[in-house]
Amino acid sequence: MSECLTSLCSVLLREYFGEIVQKIGTFLMKQVSSCLLLVIARRCTLPLEKVKLSLCVLIQHNFCEFFQDEKGRVWYTVKKESVLRLSNYERYAYCAQLLFGDPADLLVEEILNNGKLTMSEAIQKVVERLQDAKDTTGVDHSTEDVCKKFKLLVEYHHLIRCPYPQLSGNKKEENLSVSEAQLFNIPEINLSLLEPHANEEPEAKRKKLEFPDAGIHWKLNFDRFQQFFRDEAIISACTNHFDEKSSEVVRAILSESDIKTKTFTQTTNPVQYHDILKRLSKTTINSQELDGLLVNLCEGERSFVSKADDRLNGMYVVNTVKILQRLVEETAASVVQDSFGSKCARIFRILLAKKVLESKHIEELAMLHPKDTKEYITKLIVEDYILSHELPKGSDFSHGQTFYLLRIDMNRVCRIILERCYQALFNLIICSDAQYQENKRLLVKKQRIDAVVASLRQDGADEGQIEEVQQIISPSEEAVITKVTHVTQKIDSSQIQLAEMVSVLSIWLDYRKIK
């Protein structure tokens, strides 16, 4: 695994959990194999208790995996891909809000903040937050509403049950496992224990409450969220390539085959024509218009949709892998253009289309001067975007009897771009942290004054008093705060865009591994 990814995961752990957890997590990520507790404590030069607490945090948040060997020793390992999910936490909450509404995003947020929670604990925490914010938002969500949102998240497989300790055969060892039938089995809970009035009881008494679902913990099904990101990328690509109505047809097929389609299949499950039309009933697309859109989507070598069967007016699938490959190729071509210019991008696109070519054929197709073409090709070969294969015309490699074939290895190119994305994300996080540390005093001052102003307005203070408090910050300080806020917003926006690119590239590489 790359050093850039390790550095990025390390800085993410520090940002969310602090330096001690960062040190333990970084050490485990750098190891080739699993490590024992005493080895971790000795190598990291930390007290055993702190190492145990850090490992508990990593295990609780699903970053650390462990297993027990035949001698009873426990081995620990941390996967970088799991830690990298921290960069998508805001997107997970936004996805839940987009699909199921406001309480759903709070449920996802609480589960992410705690790593894993029981259904009762998650609902209770969200109800408390909603009650605290009721005066500000003016919206009152009942406990039953929050419970329904939780059930929807489980029903659509966005939440999944955590493995729990079970005895393995005749052995006295405990294994963490959960049967497939229980993965999305919703337990019975007591809503009366979760009502807001229960929160008025003393803290000591609340801790003694026994919930019926105690021990049944839930976590996010990250594969399901990745599938949503994939579908959104496909719909966005369809909108850009065709139009809004065509993307609605693709969205209808993806939605209809959503849960039924297995992860990493080449296409979605077949969807009947009438089911697509039913999904589009709320739009302005009628049967006649749908026929034309489907014909348009099915045309071409890299079609978005294919007709799987002629029965019942046809059954249609979305060509997931083809679209993802096209997205990755377009992303790679745009990266080449930004890095090396339009002429290099032209050569890169020609090789993508023709697969394998000689240099002289590229000159003809790209309509470039031979000297310039050789310069651009050399530049791309040095940066590993193009591979060159030397082949003899005869039985030996004698001078003048050799020709070179050029091709693109998209797996290799994809990993190069991912490395650059990891490095860019790392730089953005460091830059954001530097901005905050440099202006920490001013930002804290601004935060306190905003809190005082909000309190005064809530108490009904007059505008003159509020304005007097706001004038504590001088115009020069206000200008600095505005500049820092603007820079921070640009950094956050860049992080979101990079996270989206990393998602698409990672999903495509996962498909290639399965293939």
Side-chain angles (χ1 to χ4, degrees):
M1 280 292 181
S2 70
E3 192 64 33
C4 291
L5 181 55
T6 305
S7 301
L8 173 59
C9 292
S10 177
V11 79
L12 284 170
L13 286 174
R14 186 194 66 194
E15 188 178 3
Y16 281 85
F17 304 106
E19 293 182 357
I20 296 176
V21 174
Q22 178 199 17
K23 191 171 184 179
I24 301 295
T26 305
F27 170 77
L28 286 172
M29 284 188 288
K30 288 182 177 179
Q31 304 308 304
V32 178
S33 58
S34 305
C35 286
L36 293 167
L37 175 63
L38 293 176
V39 174
I40 299 169
R42 186 170 66 251
R43 295 281 183 87
C44 295
T45 61
L46 288 170
L48 196 60
E49 286 303 315
K50 287 189 176 181
V51 175
K52 287 180 180 179
L53 288 173
S54 298
L55 287 172
C56 286
V57 170
L58 291 169
I59 292 168
Q60 177 71 16
H61 287 269
N62 310 299
F63 303 140
C64 183
E65 295 180 356
F66 60 93
F67 66 92
Q68 193 173 21
D69 62 14
E70 296 175 353
K71 296 180 180 179
R73 299 175 301 180
V74 181
W75 298 78
Y76 300 91
T77 183
V78 170
K79 289 190 174 181
K80 297 175 189 177
E81 293 80 6
S82 302
V83 180
L84 188 61
R85 292 178 187 142
L86 286 167
S87 61
N88 280 318
Y89 270 21
E90 291 82 3
R91 294 179 69 202
Y92 296 142
Y94 175 71
C95 169
Q97 184 186 35
L98 199 65
L99 293 171
F100 307 109
D102 287 334
D105 73 320
L106 294 178
L107 284 165
V108 168
E109 192 177 320
E110 283 296 333
I111 293 172
L112 286 172
N113 289 338
N114 291 274
K116 55 191 78 170
L117 280 175
T118 65
M119 184 177 177
S120 296
E121 288 172 336
I123 293 171
Q124 187 179 50
K125 287 176 181 291
V126 170
V127 168
E128 287 177 4
R129 286 180 61 178
L130 290 170
Q131 288 298 314
D132 293 340
K134 187 170 66 173
D135 296 335
T136 307
T137 60
V139 181
D140 186 14
H141 292 281
S142 66
T143 306
E144 190 176 352
D145 290 338
V146 180
C147 182
K148 286 179 181 177
K149 297 296 181 183
F150 191 99
K151 289 179 178 178
L152 276 174
L153 285 166
V154 176
E155 183 183 343
Y156 285 91
H157 297 183
H158 287 86
L159 294 180
I160 191 169
R161 187 175 167 183
C162 298
Y164 60 95
Q166 290 181 330
L167 289 175
S168 57
N170 297 325
K171 297 181 181 179
K172 295 183 178 180
E173 299 173 2
E174 285 186 343
N175 289 333
L176 294 175
S177 60
V178 57
S179 65
E180 192 172 344
Q182 294 176 317
L183 284 176
F184 307 103
N185 189 14
I186 300 171
E188 293 293 330
I189 62 170
N190 188 349
L191 287 179
S192 62
L193 295 175
L194 309 176
E195 293 295 335
H197 61 76
N199 299 332
E200 298 172 3
E201 299 176 2
E203 186 69 22
K205 188 176 179 181
R206 283 176 57 196
K207 287 182 179 178
K208 293 180 181 178
L209 288 174
E210 285 292 333
F211 295 118
D213 62 333
I216 303 176
H217 292 84
W218 298 85
K219 63 179 180 178
L220 260 66
N221 186 3
F222 295 104
D223 290 339
R224 190 74 179 83
F225 281 92
Q226 284 291 86
Q227 186 178 335
F228 174 80
F229 298 152
R230 181 206 68 189
D231 292 348
E232 287 300 304
I234 289 171
I235 292 164
S236 177
C238 186
T239 304
N240 294 332
H241 190 74
F242 294 104
D243 52 29
E244 196 70 39
K245 287 188 175 181
S246 297
S247 67
E248 286 298 323
V249 175
V250 173
R251 186 189 295 274
I253 299 173
L254 289 170
S255 300
E256 189 65 31
S257 61
D258 197 13
I259 299 177
K260 302 172 188 175
T261 303
K262 293 182 180 179
T263 311
F264 303 124
T265 53
Q266 301 288 309
T267 63
T268 60
N269 277 17
V271 178
Q272 292 181 9
Y273 176 87
H274 296 294
D275 291 332
I276 300 170
L277 193 60
K278 187 178 178 181
R279 282 271 178 180
L280 296 169
S281 58
K282 294 181 181 179
T283 66
T284 58
I285 300 172
N286 55 33
S287 176
Q288 188 176 357
E289 193 173 9
L290 176 60
D291 292 338
L293 291 171
L294 284 170
V295 169
N296 196 28
L297 286 166
C298 291
E299 287 180 346
E301 292 182 2
R302 296 183 176 182
S303 55
F304 278 71
V305 175
S306 294
K307 195 171 186 179
D309 203 330
D310 290 326
R311 290 176 298 175
L312 303 172
N313 287 347
M315 299 181 74
Y316 296 89
V317 296
V318 174
N319 300 320
T320 311
V321 175
K322 283 186 180 180
I323 301 168
L324 282 175
Q325 182 165 351
R326 187 169 183 179
L327 279 172
V328 171
E329 288 176 357
E330 287 300 320
T331 301
S334 64
V335 169
V336 170
Q337 183 165 340
D338 291 341
S339 302
F340 310 109
S342 60
K343 292 179 180 178
C344 284
R346 194 190 309 172
I347 292 170
F348 189 83
R349 285 190 170 96
I350 287 169
L351 274 173
L352 281 175
K354 300 296 182 180
K355 307 303 180 187
V356 180
L357 284 174
E358 286 186 74
S359 178
K360 62 180 181 180
H361 294 148
I362 294 175
E363 293 168 13
E364 295 168 3
L365 293 169
M367 293 183 289
L368 295 171
H369 192 275
K371 185 179 178 182
D372 293 337
T373 304
K374 287 177 182 178
E375 183 184 340
Y376 298 141
I377 289 173
T378 303
K379 193 182 293 184
L380 291 171
I381 290 173
V382 169
E383 295 294 331
D384 281 341
Y385 285 95
I386 289 178
L387 297 179
S388 174
H389 295 279
E390 186 179 7
L391 296 174
K393 291 181 180 178
S395 58
D396 59 349
F397 284 84
S398 61
H399 180 68
Q401 296 298 317
T402 305
F403 63 95
Y404 297 88
L405 292 179
L406 304 172
R407 69 178 182 89
I408 295 171
D409 183 353
M410 277 310 300
N411 287 1
R412 190 188 188 99
V413 172
C414 190
R415 289 190 177 92
I416 291 170
I417 297 172
L418 271 176
E419 288 294 303
R420 295 192 174 188
C421 289
Y422 297 149
Q423 185 63 56
L425 277 170
F426 174 80
N427 293 341
L428 286 170
I429 293 170
I430 296 298
C431 183
S432 179
D433 187 52
Q435 283 284 333
Y436 177 77
Q437 294 299 331
E438 187 178 343
N439 303 279
K440 186 176 180 180
R441 183 188 62 82
L442 268 180
L443 294 172
V444 171
K445 183 179 178 182
K446 173 71 173 173
Q447 191 177 8
R448 288 175 179 172
I449 289 171
D450 287 344
V452 172
V453 168
S455 179
L456 288 171
R457 280 183 178 153
Q458 192 173 2
D459 295 340
D462 56 58
E463 288 299 322
Q465 189 177 0
I466 292 171
E467 189 176 345
E468 186 179 346
V469 174
Q470 288 175 333
Q471 287 176 353
I472 294 174
I473 296 180
S474 64
S476 60
E477 289 177 330
E478 189 67 44
V480 173
I481 291 170
T482 304
K483 183 181 177 182
V484 171
T485 304
H486 177 68
V487 171
T488 305
Q489 286 175 349
K490 287 185 72 175
I491 289 172
D492 292 343
S493 176
S494 300
Q495 283 181 298
I496 291 169
Q497 290 177 357
L498 281 168
E500 290 174 357
M501 186 185 290
V502 167
S503 291
V504 172
L505 296 173
S506 301
I507 291 167
W508 187 77
L509 281 176
D510 289 339
Y511 271 97
R512 298 295 293 177
K513 289 175 186 175
I514 298 298
K515 184 179 177 182

